[in-house]
């Protein structure tokens, strides 16, 4: 599946550069998490010139951002690496397409139509808030007064919709190596110890465990992302703590004092990156079978990622 960014959906609809950059941040996170989106979301080489606010085009809005990492990542995507649909443009003898009577031939919507005409699977992604928050997107092949045909193209206009599409397309992992690779792509605020693959290699592969593991990792990812820039807790951070880190049925908890003493050596993990030992009694829990995810807690305010040191069978069995 390929998604094509609908250039026509950028019509100066954003009230500020900041509002537009928020949408881009969500898209970038999704590209990091989903290989299907990173490889399948195609844009045009001219997208960076599209108008996004009353005073800025795409490129200008990005360059005004104070976040150097965001500027680099976005411009690398739309100005350097793509993927760009022009690099593999589908041929069509009657190459003219319209959307809402507007010429869409040299846009992502036009390319989606060309791809469908040659039998390929294609959808469009439209930026929200313009006139394209609906699906399917009807694309006219040929002049509107003498059409050659019409195509109804599936269209998504939110990151959640795009993520749902990607999940449907992305095959479930079949072994532990694929699980770890998938986790690294999806959860960019988590770092995984290199010995985790060795721990899991001898364990039976159980799809339910994988499903629960991804849920635990998702909450940890959201926790790290939710903190304020200085590492303090936001309202969302506190909500996650209340919901998942406290109470009898909490997904995450620390070991009892007795277990900390009896299993201290087994709960201490050597970091292959810095050579330091890390005591990690805090863990995420999978009940059947009993699997655990161990990590250092609480996070220091300056930390940008959370290191996962252990994924495997429960350590503190007596």
């Amino acid at each position: 599946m390929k998604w094509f960014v609908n250039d026509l959906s950028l019509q100066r609809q954003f009230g500020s550069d900041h509002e537009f950059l928020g949408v881009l941040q969500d898209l970038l996170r999704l590209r990091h998490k989903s290989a299907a989106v990173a490889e399948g979301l195609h844009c045009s080489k001219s997208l960076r010139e599209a108008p996004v606010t009353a005073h800025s085009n795409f490129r200008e809005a990005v360059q005004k951002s104070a976040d150097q990492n965001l500027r680099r990542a976005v411009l690398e995507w739309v100005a350097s690496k793509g993927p760009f649909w022009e690099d593999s443009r589908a041929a069509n003898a009657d190459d003219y397409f319209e959307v809402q009577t507007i010429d869409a031939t040299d846009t992502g919507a036009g390319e989606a139509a060309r791809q469908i005409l040659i039998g390929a699977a294609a959808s469009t992604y439209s930026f929200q808030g313009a006139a394209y928050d609906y699906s399917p997107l009807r694309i006219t092949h040929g002049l509107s007064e003498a059409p050659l045909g019409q195509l109804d193209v599936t269209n998504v206009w939110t990151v959640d919709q795009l993520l749902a599409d990607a999940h449907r397309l992305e095959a479930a992992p079949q072994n532990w190596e694929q699980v770890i690779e998938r986790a690294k792509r999806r959860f960019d605020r988590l770092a995984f110890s290199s010995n985790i693959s060795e721990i899991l290699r001898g364990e039976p592969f159980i799809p339910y465990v994988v499903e629960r593991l991804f849920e635990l990792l998702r909450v940890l990812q959201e926790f790290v992302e939710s903190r304020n820039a200085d590492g303090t807790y936001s309202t969302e951070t506190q909500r996650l703590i209340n919901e998942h880190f406290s109470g009898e049925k909490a997904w995450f908890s620390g070991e009892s004092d007795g277990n900390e003493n009896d299993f201290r050596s087994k709960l201490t993990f050597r970091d292959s990156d810095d050579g330091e030992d890390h005591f990690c009694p805090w863990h995420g829990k999978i009940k059947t079978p009993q699997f655990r995810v161990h990590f250092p807690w609480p996070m220091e305010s300056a930390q940008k990622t959370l290191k996962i040191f252990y994924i495997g069978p429960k350590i503190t069995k007596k």
Side-chain angles (χ1 to χ4, degrees), residues 10-65:
L10 287 176
Q11 302 178 354
R12 303 188 188 279
Q13 72 264 36
F14 294 96
S16 66
D17 297 329
H18 178 75
E19 182 184 349
F20 174 63
L21 292 173
V23 175
L24 287 185
Q25 284 179 319
D26 289 342
L27 270 177
L28 286 175
R29 290 191 188 104
L30 181 53
R31 292 181 80 246
H32 285 309
K33 294 176 185 178
S34 170
V37 174
E39 297 166 5
L41 183 62
H42 287 62
C43 65
S44 68
K45 293 180 179 179
S46 60
L47 182 67
R48 60 184 181 271
E49 304 303 326
V52 299
T53 73
H55 305 289
S56 302
N57 64 24
F58 191 119
R59 174 178 47 79
E60 291 166 341
V62 173
Q63 289 176 334
K64 291 176 185 176
S65 171

Side-chain angles (χ1 to χ4, degrees), residues 8-310:
L8 301 177
S9 65
L10 287 176
Q11 302 178 354
R12 303 188 188 279
Q13 72 264 36
F14 294 96
S16 66
D17 297 329
H18 178 75
E19 182 184 349
F20 174 63
L21 292 173
V23 175
L24 287 185
Q25 284 179 319
D26 289 342
L27 270 177
L28 286 175
R29 290 191 188 104
L30 181 53
R31 292 181 80 246
H32 285 309
K33 294 176 185 178
S34 170
V37 174
E39 297 166 5
L41 183 62
H42 287 62
C43 65
S44 68
K45 293 180 179 179
S46 60
L47 182 67
R48 60 184 181 271
E49 304 303 326
V52 299
T53 73
H55 305 289
S56 302
N57 64 24
F58 191 119
R59 174 178 47 79
E60 291 166 341
V62 173
Q63 289 176 334
K64 291 176 185 176
S65 171
D67 188 336
Q68 182 178 359
N69 291 329
L70 177 64
R71 294 199 307 270
R72 177 189 54 76
V74 173
L75 293 177
E76 185 178 72
W77 170 34
V78 301
S80 176
K81 292 186 176 180
F84 303 111
W85 58 259
E86 291 98 330
D87 292 338
S88 56
R89 178 172 176 150
N92 190 280
D94 300 293
D95 197 21
Y96 183 79
F97 298 88
E98 288 185 350
V99 178
Q100 299 178 3
T101 71
I102 301 170
D103 183 358
T105 307
D106 294 322
T107 71
E111 180 60 18
R114 284 187 289 271
Q115 291 285 333
I116 290 173
L117 286 172
I118 64 172
S123 299
T124 51
Y125 168 79
S126 298
F127 285 92
Q128 198 167 11
Y132 299 94
D133 297 359
Y134 64 91
S135 182
L137 197 65
R138 176 154 290 187
I139 301 177
T140 300
H141 184 197
L143 297 171
S144 53
E145 60 269 24
L148 299 171
Q150 291 184 323
L151 301 97
D152 285 337
V153 179
T154 300
N155 180 51
V156 297
W157 58 94
T158 70
V159 170
D160 286 344
Q161 291 170 331
L162 188 56
L163 176 60
D165 268 5
H167 280 171
R168 283 193 292 270
L169 292 169
E170 200 166 24
Q174 301 300 307
N175 55 55
W176 289 119
E177 287 297 329
Q178 291 178 4
V179 169
I180 298 304
E181 288 305 312
R182 181 78 55 85
K184 289 177 179 177
R185 291 198 305 268
R186 284 183 59 182
F187 306 114
D188 61 327
R189 293 302 188 95
L190 307 180
F192 295 88
S193 177
S194 59
N195 73 327
I196 289 176
S197 293
E198 297 177 13
I199 296 168
L200 290 171
R201 191 170 292 128
E203 296 302 318
F205 184 77
I206 304 173
Y208 170 75
V209 171
V210 176
E211 180 182 330
R212 292 297 303 145
L213 171 63
F214 281 155
E215 282 297 293
L216 293 174
L217 297 178
R218 175 185 61 79
V219 171
L220 293 177
Q221 166 91 3
E222 290 177 359
F223 171 83
V224 181
E225 289 178 335
S226 70
R227 297 187 311 159
N228 298 317
D230 61 359
T232 56
Y233 291 175
S234 67
T235 301
E236 176 63 11
T237 311
Q238 196 59 56
R239 182 193 70 79
L240 290 168
I241 290 174
N242 293 341
E243 185 171 335
H244 296 296
F245 292 76
S246 59
E248 292 183 3
K249 296 183 179 180
W251 290 10
F252 303 91
S253 67
E255 296 288 353
S256 66
D257 291 342
N259 278 349
E260 284 194 14
N261 292 328
D262 294 343
F263 296 94
R264 175 168 289 273
S265 62
K266 290 186 177 181
L267 294 171
T268 301
F269 305 93
R270 176 66 55 88
D271 191 335
S272 58
D273 294 325
D274 61 19
E276 298 291 328
D277 288 335
H278 297 265
F279 181 52
C280 302
W282 270 83
H283 56 275
K285 295 173 280 192
I286 300 172
K287 292 185 177 180
T288 309
Q290 290 195 336
F291 258 55
R292 297 294 185 261
V293 179
H294 283 268
F295 50 90
W297 185 269
M299 288 183 66
E300 296 178 3
S301 60
Q303 281 183 260
K304 302 301 182 184
T305 59
L306 177 63
K307 188 73 172 270
I308 307 299
F309 282 100
Y310 178 90

